[in-house]
Amino acid sequence: MSKSANLGFPRIGGDRELKRALEAFWAGKTRARDLEATGAVLRRAHWARQKNAGLDIIPCGDFSFYDQMLDMITTLGAVPARYRGEGLDAPFARYFAMARGTAGLPAMEMTKWFDTNYHYIVPELSPDLTFSFADSRIVDEFTEAKAQGFDARPVIIGPITFLRLAKVKAGDEGALDYLDRLLPVYAEILAALQAAGASWVQVDEPAFCLDLGDDWLAAATKAYGALAGAAPNIMLATYFGSVADKLPALLTLPVAGLHLDIVRAPEQLDGALDLWPRGKTLSLGVVDGRNIWRTDLSAALKLAAKARSVVGSEFLEVAPSCSLLHVPVDLNVEEALDAEIRPWLAFAQQKLDEVVVLAGAADEGREAYAPAFHDADDAVAERRASRRVHSPVVAARLANERLDGRAPRAEREEAQAAKLGLPAYPTTTIGSFPQTQAVRQARATYRKGVISDAQYDEFLRAETEKAIRFQEDVELDVLVHGEFERNDMVEYFGELLEGFIFTKKAWVQSYGSRCVKPPIIFGDVSRPVPMTVKWSAYAQSLTSRPVKGMLTGPVTILQWSFVRDDQPREATCRQIAYAIHDEVRDLEAAGIGIIQIDEPALREGLPLRQADWQRYLDWAVDCFRISACAAGAATQIHTHMCYAEFEDILPSIAALDADVISIEASRSGMELLGVFREFDYGNEIGLGVYDIHSPRCPEAGELREKVAAAATVLKPEQLWVNPDCGLKTRAWDEVKPALSAMVSAAKSLRSESSR
Ligand code: GLN
Ligand code: ZN
């Protein structure tokens, strides 16, 4: 019989129970055993949900109090030396010290998990590590499930992915040199799971979807050769992309099963089936674990049937494409969702049902599940035909109106200099000012209907005016309105654009206790009314200094949303770009002479395989230019990115052709200069000279040094001075001394260069 399987369930809880339990524990309001208890309740509830849905294979060990990679670090005893000392022996103390730092210890590095918005703790490798099976959590959770009557399949991160994502912090060995020391510990873990009664283990190896050299493939052969003998059956799980290029190697590994992501990489199925060895289990990832759309069951069943005819029903598992960690828990709790759109959606709970239906229908035929297929077919057809998804007006505009090209940079430079008359080393900020308790509370009461439109407006005007006066007092050169009207840089725009809907509770874990609630882009995007003009124009009316208009760019809006899957992402991004274009045009017409289009997510949109980068960068750059080209020569376009890892995409950054680009330069100042030494960048650069994420106040002297160092590589006329990101998470009494220091650094550079 074909089986239904899941690779991982969201751990945060439908009501973000884990978030609340974690935050209460961190605040010292609860004890370790309270947190443990919440974990146990959630695990039991999630196993029960999956069993009740009819799933044959339920994961365990997919739960985590912070992150699955951090769990693997502790399981393998790969705790960096600085966290090994005493004083961290209380329950959870060491674990959360690694995750979040303590008063005296910084946290471990955290970064994005492949191309998702989930963040993992980066393992560190150094010669002083001695790996050992140091934490029995994975076995305990298996036993816990078993005691509750769930015969679960434990999930661990595989050695290749662990090492590939790790960073070598000391010594001259490469990550792969650690494999031999790691494998005996993996063998011990697997043996312990077998001894506890596990017949299968899911070993996650998403790294196989990356570019991997032959040395890594050889390591995989060695690793699984060593582990397979002494272990339960291994289901090797690849996801987030294609492993077509590695199939000959992967299919000869002595593992019992292989999971393929057929949603992200449907093209790899035929090749895999051609090579499929008899008796190996195929886990067919046909239900999208990364997005919230209902599965086209008829189409998915065709794939399942094809796979079954080759591998045989006893060797087929039907599964989501990856862990369901990346989707919200349950559509049914969304009470006020748009009635037309709701049937097009499926969250984790609904995806379980889809998997069960598909596995059943693969054996028994679709007639045995007629109502489910009927509903899904209807939803697919309705979505395809909906006027709200396909707007003839949007289609006609994109087909007929070509948006491209600004005046040449030299002409812009001259026109802007004449119009703006800014001093050397102009100072500015990235947009937001502190979102104080008062700001958040006013928004909340407004949303509840407690205060009226007029009252809320009044409040925002007062905050904006305060911000303008503040910026005049610290003598910044280019002011911002402060973004007090915005909850979030994507949500704010999504709520004003056509083609988006929002949920109430569809939270997805981003890292630790932090969750995001991404908008859903369901249809063609357009901008019925101006979105920011009112606030920018009001702010400008208060001051004679230039006020910078503040927009979120099309790539970032796309990247931080659930995006429709019925057309290429590029097509959706272009529609957003046209909408932002209209906003740029209207801001300019309202007298705003400087407009910033933020693209902090440009880099994270890069595909996993380098071969796919250029195509992505080309359309991403194109979309930015579509947005920006509404501006005349004298209007200055800025963009902002919060990072400085540019080496590999610099030509594309330059191709954005923003007049000014502000980038992170506080932590990676030196690296950055190296980059610009190599690459001749002609436009202006705002150096993000201080780290807004740190509570530490910078001193004028150190800021001045940073800019002076940059001025030896870049021309002084190219340089702006600003913080490295928006200030919304800081308090006013932190912002004031920091910005004052920044302004005095700029002034001192000016007086020096005029001498
Ligand atoms: N303009 C935004 C702000 O200042 C930019 C935020 C970001 O780059 N993430 O908050
Ligand atoms: Zn930023």
Side-chain angles (χ1 to χ4, degrees):
M1 290 274 280
S2 304
K3 294 196 174 69
S4 52
N6 187 19
L7 306 192
F9 196 79
R11 54 182 77 119
I12 204 78
D15 273 318
R16 288 182 293 163
E17 293 92 330
L18 182 59
K19 174 193 177 68
R20 281 200 298 274
L22 284 167
E23 289 171 2
F25 177 71
W26 293 335
K29 292 186 195 139
T30 57
R31 317 272 290 268
R33 62 164 182 273
D34 303 316
L35 183 56
E36 287 286 9
T38 303
V41 167
L42 285 169
R43 288 192 295 272
R44 179 191 271 270
H46 297 160
W47 289 324
R49 264 180 193 267
Q50 296 175 82
K51 187 167 183 175
N52 293 339
L55 232 72
D56 298 312
I57 299 168
I58 297 171
C60 69
D62 54 335
F63 179 81
S64 174
F65 282 107
Y66 202 90
D67 163 47
Q68 69 264 15
M69 202 66 168
L70 178 59
D71 292 351
M72 210 60 217
I73 292 170
T74 57
T75 301
L76 295 167
V79 174
R82 62 183 182 282
Y83 306 104
R84 271 182 249 146
E86 283 159 35
L88 291 176
D89 291 328
F92 287 117
R94 182 163 290 114
Y95 184 80
F96 288 133
M98 291 194 279
R100 318 173 62 230
T102 63
L105 273 178
M108 291 179 76
E109 187 183 332
M110 188 168 70
T111 192
K112 289 197 179 238
W113 178 242
F114 296 83
D115 57 356
T116 72
N117 276 327
Y118 177 83
H119 301 67
Y120 68 95
I121 303 286
V122 180
E124 295 179 12
L125 299 173
S126 62
D128 64 293
L129 284 183
T130 37
F131 301 115
S132 67
F133 184 13
D135 179 349
S136 62
R137 182 196 58 92
I138 184 69
V139 180
D140 300 343
E141 282 181 25
F142 174 77
T143 312
E144 176 187 342
K146 203 162 143 189
Q148 294 171 19
F150 306 105
D151 184 15
R153 183 166 74 183
V155 187
I156 60 173
I157 306 230
I160 301 302
T161 297
F162 186 83
L163 289 177
R164 176 60 209 253
L165 298 187
K167 276 207 178 151
V168 177
K169 289 282 168 162
D172 17 78
E173 291 170 307
L176 270 184
D177 296 322
Y178 287 81
L179 183 67
D180 287 340
R181 274 163 278 172
L182 207 52
L183 287 180
V185 184
Y186 267 98
E188 232 183 295
I189 298 169
L190 292 171
L193 286 168
Q194 190 164 38
S199 50
W200 280 83
V201 175
Q202 174 187 324
V203 181
D204 281 359
E205 290 284 21
F208 286 135
C209 299
L210 301 174
D211 295 313
L212 285 184
D214 290 343
D215 47 345
W216 285 91
L217 280 186
T221 305
K222 178 176 183 180
Y224 286 94
L227 297 179
N233 290 317
I234 290 177
M235 172 54 71
L236 193 70
T238 69
Y239 45 82
F240 298 153
S242 172
V243 293
D245 54 331
K246 305 180 185 79
L247 273 172
L250 292 185
L251 285 174
T252 48
L253 295 180
V255 293
L258 182 66
H259 172 85
L260 299 175
D261 184 338
I262 299 302
V263 175
R264 269 296 180 83
E267 70 282 0
Q268 64 180 337
L269 181 59
D270 286 343
L273 293 179
D274 284 345
L275 297 173
W276 204 261
R278 280 177 63 136
K280 195 185 280 289
T281 298
L282 167 60
S283 168
L284 191 74
V286 282
V287 167
D288 195 348
R290 292 282 299 271
N291 213 333
I292 43 64
W293 303 104
R294 186 174 189 155
T295 304
D296 180 344
L297 289 181
S298 296
L301 180 60
K302 289 205 182 95
L303 298 175
K306 188 202 278 184
R308 181 178 180 272
S309 71
V310 174
V311 305
S313 68
E314 71 267 47
F315 297 108
L316 180 67
E317 292 176 11
V318 178
S321 59
C322 59
S323 165
L324 297 175
L325 179 64
H326 309 289
V327 294
V329 175
D330 189 358
L331 181 62
N332 289 330
V333 302
E334 291 295 329
E335 281 150 13
L337 211 57
D338 188 298
E340 183 184 359
I341 293 164
R342 172 193 286 277
W344 308 343
L345 304 176
F347 295 174
Q349 177 74 45
Q350 289 68 40
K351 286 173 191 286
L352 297 177
D353 298 337
E354 293 179 337
V355 164
V356 169
V357 165
L358 285 168
D363 287 342
E364 301 159 47
R366 58 178 285 150
E367 296 70 32
Y369 298 83
F373 279 91
H374 187 248
D375 282 0
D377 286 349
D378 276 357
V380 168
E382 275 160 26
R383 192 178 156 203
R384 217 169 261 153
S386 169
R387 294 278 304 215
R388 288 173 66 202
V389 174
H390 308 281
S391 149
V393 180
V394 172
R397 181 174 184 207
L398 267 90
N400 300 324
E401 193 181 335
R402 265 192 67 74
L403 300 178
D404 197 13
R406 299 187 67 202
R409 167 68 190 154
E411 184 184 319
R412 286 166 10 220
E413 196 174 348
E414 209 182 296
Q416 290 163 20
K419 183 170 167 205
L420 298 169
L422 294 169
Y425 302 105
T427 53
T428 189
T429 63
I430 302 305
S432 56
F433 270 100
Q435 289 261 330
T436 56
Q437 181 65 26
V439 172
R440 279 175 287 148
Q441 197 175 332
R443 180 158 54 237
T445 46
Y446 171 63
R447 291 205 160 186
K448 284 193 200 115
V450 179
I451 60 171
S452 67
D453 282 5
Q455 284 169 311
Y456 185 49
D457 231 65
E458 188 65 27
F459 172 84
L460 291 175
R461 279 166 169 268
E463 289 295 313
T464 306
E465 175 156 19
K466 261 192 278 176
I468 293 290
R469 298 298 164 239
F470 169 87
Q471 294 172 85
E472 288 178 335
D473 286 348
V474 296
E475 298 184 44
L476 286 157
D477 300 305
V478 171
L479 313 193
V480 296
H481 73 284
E483 302 184 17
F484 302 105
E485 76 288 8
R486 302 186 191 175
N487 36 357
D488 171 276
M489 66 185 291
V490 170
E491 192 169 333
Y492 179 78
F493 290 90
E495 283 179 341
L496 295 164
L497 290 167
E498 214 64 72
F500 287 70
I501 54 163
F502 290 82
T503 56
K504 291 251 154 49
K505 291 183 167 180
W507 297 98
V508 177
Q509 189 178 20
S510 172
Y511 60 87
S513 68
R514 194 179 148 76
C515 300
V516 293
K517 195 157 59 63
I520 296 171
I521 309 178
F522 70 88
D524 288 344
V525 175
S526 60
R527 188 205 67 150
V529 287
M531 304 181 284
T532 65
V533 174
K534 172 173 143 185
W535 292 112
S536 292
Y538 171 67
Q540 185 64 84
S541 76
L542 299 170
T543 179
S544 56
R545 298 184 184 230
V547 171
K548 179 164 66 167
M550 208 55 61
L551 304 175
T552 302
V555 182
T556 298
I557 293 180
L558 185 85
Q559 200 59 33
W560 292 349
S561 301
F562 284 120
V563 181
R564 57 191 283 197
D565 62 353
D566 59 344
Q567 65 180 19
R569 288 169 72 82
E570 168 185 354
T572 303
C573 198
R574 263 175 213 280
Q575 295 177 353
I576 306 169
Y578 274 67
I580 301 296
H581 173 99
D582 294 347
E583 190 70 15
V584 170
R585 184 198 57 213
D586 289 353
L587 279 170
E588 184 185 70
I592 303 300
I594 305 180
I595 299 165
Q596 178 170 310
I597 307 172
D598 289 328
E599 284 291 20
L602 185 91
R603 191 173 209 294
E604 66 189 54
L606 280 175
L608 294 178
R609 296 297 182 92
Q610 202 132 14
D612 303 327
W613 280 21
Q614 200 53 49
R615 245 197 64 75
Y616 160 77
L617 286 167
D618 287 348
W619 65 251
V621 167
D622 225 36
C623 287
F624 182 88
R625 294 173 64 112
I626 289 170
S627 304
C629 74
T635 299
Q636 191 169 63
I637 294 289
H638 290 219
T639 189
H640 162 70
M641 294 155 192
C642 333
Y643 48 84
E645 297 131 39
F646 280 150
E647 301 98 293
D648 43 1
I649 59 167
L650 247 172
S652 299
I653 300 288
L656 296 174
D657 198 22
D659 296 302
V660 183
I661 166 172
S662 73
I663 50 182
E664 190 269 315
S666 56
R667 283 156 294 168
S668 39
M670 286 309 149
E671 282 166 43
L672 193 69
L673 294 187
V675 169
F676 285 111
R677 210 168 269 133
E678 302 291 313
F679 187 93
D680 184 22
Y681 185 76
N683 299 6
E684 295 163 51
I685 299 181
L687 295 173
V689 286
Y690 84 88
D691 178 7
I692 62 96
H693 303 96
S694 155
R696 185 179 155 274
C697 180
E699 283 160 28
E702 67 181 87
L703 299 181
R704 192 184 166 288
E705 288 314 305
K706 273 187 198 148
V707 184
T712 64
V713 175
L714 291 149
K715 295 197 213 77
E717 310 86 81
Q718 285 180 285
L719 296 176
W720 286 61
V721 183
N722 47 257
D724 70 351
C725 198
L727 299 165
K728 69 175 174 195
T729 57
R730 301 260 60 105
W732 281 105
D733 59 359
E734 297 170 308
V735 165
K736 179 155 190 159
L739 290 181
S740 301
M742 199 183 85
V743 169
S744 69
K747 282 186 180 166
S748 123
L749 286 157
R750 269 171 221 162
S751 64
E752 180 158 309
S753 55
S754 65
R755 239 182 275 137

